[in-house]
Amino acid sequence: MATVMQRIVKPKTQAAKRGLEVRAPKLEENDKVAMFIKGGHTSETITQVLKELYLLKKPNAITFKRKNIMRPFDDQSSIEFFSQKNDSSLFLFGSHSKKRPNNLVLGRLYDHHVLDMVELGVTHFRSMQDFPTEKIAMGTKPCLVFEGEAFEQDHEHRRLKNMLIDFFRGVKANNVRLQGLEHVLQFTALDGKVMVRSYKVLLKKSGSRTPRVELSEIGPALDLEVRRTRLASDDLYKKACKKPKKGKPKKVKNVKTDVFGAKMGRVHMERQDFSKLQTRKMKGLKRQAPSDKENAKKAKTESSEPSAQET
């Protein structure tokens, strides 16, 4: 039986060494990069959709200017090659044909192998240019809003929701201030379609400390229909979501955290002997021994009393 030797790449320059360190496995992975790929034949609508979604995803995005003739549902070798070359784990492929007009394929990869793919058809599209409003800055982390029972009940829509969160989540942030919440992406599942809307958050004066919040639509606006899906099995999906033990926080016994973030602990102690308990000494409560004068006075009173025989 022939054995396959894994090729070990040794860097020859410092730049190559830094590049390999960036791509090396980590406990906390880097921000996911998405590839925007145009197929062999695309319509004007698909070209504009890829361009505007690329602007929303920047700076964690790579766009391919040349056309690539491929069919992701039939052969994934080209997608996996581009993923390994560009160190990316997400892709959006656009194409147009008579059988599947205005077609998008949204997918993600695990270990540079295709994990999930969902084929979406664009039935309605409005560009950013159709909304004459002020746009958001590049790299703004969006607030994702999902509406519709299908995202909770249907298995395919639940997986699609997870993919959309992976695709549009933006950079990792532990805390977000109110002024930093500028962009809202809304996904609505209704009548077998997924409607995507983009809004800018406007904070206006309200006469109090809490500002009045308004939403202004900035585009793009898309209506998508699910055509085909290729989802990973439960075992493979569980393996892709598995976290290493080193990355998990060490559990501390008898320590809990409440909803407000305060730590609460339970301390086990031995049974106390209250007779040996040292308390605060107070002069008023202290029992004093009788003095010599009090003893002499008590003896004199006893001797002065007549006995029963003398009387």
Side-chain angles (χ1 to χ4, degrees), residues 91-153:
F91 71 91
L92 184 64
F93 176 80
S95 61
H96 176 77
S97 64
K98 186 177 180 180
K99 186 177 181 180
R100 294 184 177 88
N102 298 328
N103 201 48
L104 290 174
V105 178
L106 177 67
R108 56 184 172 182
L109 302 98
Y110 167 67
D111 196 18
H112 302 299
H113 295 286
V114 174
L115 182 68
D116 293 326
M117 283 192 300
V118 177
E119 189 177 64
L120 305 168
V122 181
T123 58
H124 173 72
F125 172 68
R126 290 184 64 190
S127 174
M128 290 182 179
Q129 300 175 359
D130 298 335
F131 300 93
T133 55
E134 187 179 356
K135 310 303 179 185
I136 58 173
M138 184 187 71
T140 303
K141 185 177 178 64
C143 173
L144 305 180
V145 180
F146 291 88
E147 295 183 358
E149 296 180 355
F151 285 128
E152 302 296 333
Q153 299 176 358

Side-chain angles (χ1 to χ4, degrees), residues 85-245:
K85 185 177 180 181
N86 297 281
D87 191 25
S88 61
S89 56
L90 301 168
F91 71 91
L92 184 64
F93 176 80
S95 61
H96 176 77
S97 64
K98 186 177 180 180
K99 186 177 181 180
R100 294 184 177 88
N102 298 328
N103 201 48
L104 290 174
V105 178
L106 177 67
R108 56 184 172 182
L109 302 98
Y110 167 67
D111 196 18
H112 302 299
H113 295 286
V114 174
L115 182 68
D116 293 326
M117 283 192 300
V118 177
E119 189 177 64
L120 305 168
V122 181
T123 58
H124 173 72
F125 172 68
R126 290 184 64 190
S127 174
M128 290 182 179
Q129 300 175 359
D130 298 335
F131 300 93
T133 55
E134 187 179 356
K135 310 303 179 185
I136 58 173
M138 184 187 71
T140 303
K141 185 177 178 64
C143 173
L144 305 180
V145 180
F146 291 88
E147 295 183 358
E149 296 180 355
F151 285 128
E152 302 296 333
Q153 299 176 358
D154 185 59
H155 175 67
E156 292 183 353
H157 280 76
R158 283 202 305 268
R159 193 64 63 87
L160 176 60
K161 174 184 175 180
N162 191 272
M163 294 173 65
L164 291 172
I165 293 175
D166 259 357
F167 200 88
F168 292 105
R169 66 185 302 177
V171 297
K172 293 181 181 180
N174 296 327
N175 298 313
V176 179
R177 64 190 184 98
L178 183 61
Q179 287 77 9
L181 187 60
E182 300 179 1
H183 188 204
V184 175
L185 281 176
Q186 182 186 28
F187 303 92
T188 306
L190 183 64
D191 298 333
K193 293 185 178 181
V194 178
M195 291 171 280
V196 184
R197 300 294 183 267
S198 178
Y199 301 95
K200 182 179 180 180
V201 179
L202 303 176
L203 302 178
K204 297 189 176 181
K205 295 182 179 179
S206 61
S208 62
R209 295 186 62 182
T210 304
R212 181 167 54 90
V213 180
E214 292 185 2
L215 297 178
S216 174
E217 190 169 2
I218 60 175
L222 298 93
D223 289 352
L224 307 172
E225 60 178 2
V226 180
R227 291 175 177 172
R228 288 187 294 175
T229 60
R230 181 180 174 179
L231 305 179
S233 61
D234 294 338
D235 295 338
L236 182 59
Y237 184 73
K238 186 177 180 180
K239 182 181 178 182
C241 297
K242 187 177 180 180
K243 295 182 179 180
K245 292 183 179 180

Side-chain angles (χ1 to χ4, degrees), residues 52-64:
E52 297 193 4
L53 291 181
Y54 166 73
L55 294 176
L56 293 181
K57 181 63 179 171
K58 285 178 70 175
N60 298 319
I62 300 172
T63 181
F64 293 4

Side-chain angles (χ1 to χ4, degrees), residues 255-265:
V255 176
K256 295 181 180 179
T257 305
D258 59 4
V259 293
F260 301 103
K263 284 187 177 182
M264 302 178 65

